[in-house]
Amino acid sequence: MDKFRMIFQFLQSNQESFMNGICGIMALASAQMYSAFDFNCPCLPRYNQAYGLGILLVPPFILFLLGFVLNNNISMLAEEWRRPQGQRGKDQAVLRYMFCSMAQRAMIAPAVWVSVTLLDGKCITCAFCTSVPVETLGNASHPSLSQGDMKRVLARIPCKEIYDGQELIANEVAIRYLRCISQALGWCFVLLMTTLAFLVRSLRPCFTQAAFLKSRYWSHYIDIERKLFDETCAEHARSFAKVCIQQFFEGMSTDLAAARCHPPRKAPADAGEAAEKLLGITDQGTMNMALKSWHRCKPPLHLHPPALPSGNGWAGEGQPPAHPPVPRRETAAYYSRV
């Protein structure tokens, strides 16, 4: 368990590197999935285009959504976007920065799939085999066929074993023609993706450096604040459970001592320390109110001492502060306990 805990803490502390590694693994997996995929064109005029374009576009869309699902920050982005305004405003630039960062990582695997599919050429060959220019590449002196018969013959181009139109157009000629177009589109797509990645990653910070730094800082702040809040809640829940269990056994010990006329045992020394970590929240209703207040009215980003006694907004308006003003030397100790 200690090893798994160390690995989990390492992944949390290196989340950006971890997500980059996940994106790289998904990109390799998408290429491996395509190489292992058994492509079988139906060779029917009504289904060839739907099948070919479906294999080209549907898996990248699934991989794109999967990239968002595997990203731990998607729930944080949704929470920040949907939370009430409260005492802290929402910066749309920060939300856009967080979404763009996740979208850039999520697009790696789909881009690899589309590139590999286009460079292989099977999907384009299956989807557009009925659009081969027979007048240019085929036998123009072949007896005329109806439009339906022509499409039926051309739709069998990807299936060499059942193709029966060699007199109309050679199977190898049509396949080479379509594969050449597909590979040209593939290399153009790779060039386009590479250029866009270069512009986004390299040139954007140069033109909007101040806004870029501000958005990156506050996106990191939101991530760290959420992690620290979860850790504080986990520590509070642990202390709450510890005190609750200790009080239960102390009550049982008192009842047994009264029944047997034995003096009750002393409370353990760490009971007071666990009670201190509760920070005065010692019942379920107060805890639920505090959690609801954190969602509805997060504290403002203003760390001066006079702002501390105002509370989080759920204790009521016009009530006296629960604690006296905290001197400057005690402020650091207050935050260290929280």
Side-chain angles (χ1 to χ4, degrees):
M1 289 298 296
D2 292 338
K3 292 183 179 179
F4 287 111
R5 187 178 302 171
M6 291 175 60
I7 294 174
F8 181 73
Q9 291 176 353
F10 173 77
L11 295 178
Q12 278 191 329
S13 60
N14 298 273
Q15 187 176 5
E16 186 172 358
S17 301
F18 174 67
M19 291 308 305
N20 291 335
I22 289 293
C23 294
I25 292 174
M26 287 184 59
L28 294 176
S30 64
Q32 188 65 27
M33 284 168 55
Y34 180 80
S35 62
F37 178 71
D38 188 13
F39 187 89
N40 291 312
C41 185
C43 296
L44 295 172
R46 296 182 180 180
Y47 301 103
N48 278 15
Q49 191 170 17
Y51 182 81
L53 295 180
I55 298 300
L56 178 65
L57 301 177
V58 173
F61 179 72
I62 296 175
L63 292 172
F64 181 73
L65 294 180
L66 190 61
F68 276 99
V69 171
L70 295 178
N71 197 318
N72 295 328
N73 293 331
I74 185 65
S75 58
M76 179 180 65
L77 175 62
E79 178 183 349
E80 183 67 18
W81 178 49
R82 294 295 301 171
R83 71 171 175 84
Q85 189 81 6
Q87 300 181 21
R88 181 189 303 180
K90 291 187 288 187
D91 193 346
Q92 298 298 325
V94 177
L95 298 178
R96 285 194 299 268
Y97 173 83
M98 295 169 62
F99 177 79
C100 291
S101 298
M102 288 186 287
Q104 289 171 19
R105 293 189 176 97
M107 286 181 62
I108 295 177
V112 171
W113 177 277
V114 173
S115 302
V116 173
T117 304
L118 289 176
L119 292 175
D120 184 61
K122 292 179 182 178
C123 288
I124 297 298
T125 301
C126 179
F128 298 101
C129 57
T130 57
S131 302
V132 173
V134 180
E135 297 80 5
T136 305
L137 302 177
N139 185 7
S141 61
H142 189 272
S144 59
L145 297 174
S146 64
Q147 192 70 18
D149 293 337
M150 179 78 70
K151 287 187 175 296
R152 181 185 60 81
V153 172
L154 294 179
R156 297 180 178 178
I157 288 177
C159 308
K160 294 182 180 181
E161 59 277 3
I162 63 173
Y163 180 65
D164 55 356
Q166 293 290 346
E167 297 84 2
L168 180 64
I169 183 173
N171 178 270
E172 188 66 25
V173 172
I175 289 179
R176 285 178 177 271
Y177 172 79
L178 293 172
R179 185 169 293 177
C180 176
I181 295 177
S182 179
Q183 291 179 351
L185 291 175
W187 285 115
C188 291
F189 180 78
V190 172
L191 178 61
L192 177 63
M193 291 292 102
T194 306
T195 304
L196 288 177
F198 172 75
L199 294 177
V200 170
R201 301 289 292 181
S202 301
L203 299 183
R204 185 185 65 175
C206 298
F207 292 103
T208 58
Q209 183 67 25
F212 176 77
L213 291 176
K214 184 188 72 172
S215 301
R216 185 170 62 178
Y217 174 85
W218 289 114
S219 65
H220 290 168
Y221 172 83
I222 294 172
D223 185 23
I224 294 172
E225 183 187 56
R226 185 188 183 190
K227 291 178 181 177
L228 291 177
F229 181 77
D230 292 341
E231 293 174 3
T232 305
C233 288
E235 183 179 357
H236 188 278
R238 181 180 179 86
S239 301
F240 198 107
K242 190 173 184 179
V243 173
C244 186
I245 293 171
Q246 286 174 351
Q247 289 180 355
F248 170 76
F249 281 104
E250 286 174 7
M252 291 292 297
S253 176
T254 303
D255 294 341
L256 292 174
R260 299 179 183 178
C261 297
H262 292 300
R265 296 183 178 179
K266 295 182 179 180
D270 56 347
E273 181 181 353
E276 273 188 30
K277 293 182 179 180
L278 295 179
L279 302 175
I281 302 177
T282 56
D283 60 273
Q284 184 178 8
T286 307
M287 190 66 215
N288 292 338
M289 194 177 298
L291 294 175
K292 188 182 296 185
S293 172
W294 177 261
H295 170 69
R296 292 182 176 179
C297 189
K298 287 188 177 180
L301 300 176
H302 185 71
L303 301 182
H304 294 297
L308 291 176
S310 62
N312 291 327
W314 54 267
E317 293 289 337
Q319 295 184 1
H323 302 283
V326 183
R328 288 186 176 271
R329 293 185 178 179
E330 296 179 9
T331 304
Y334 176 83
Y335 280 113
S336 64
R337 290 198 303 270
V338 175

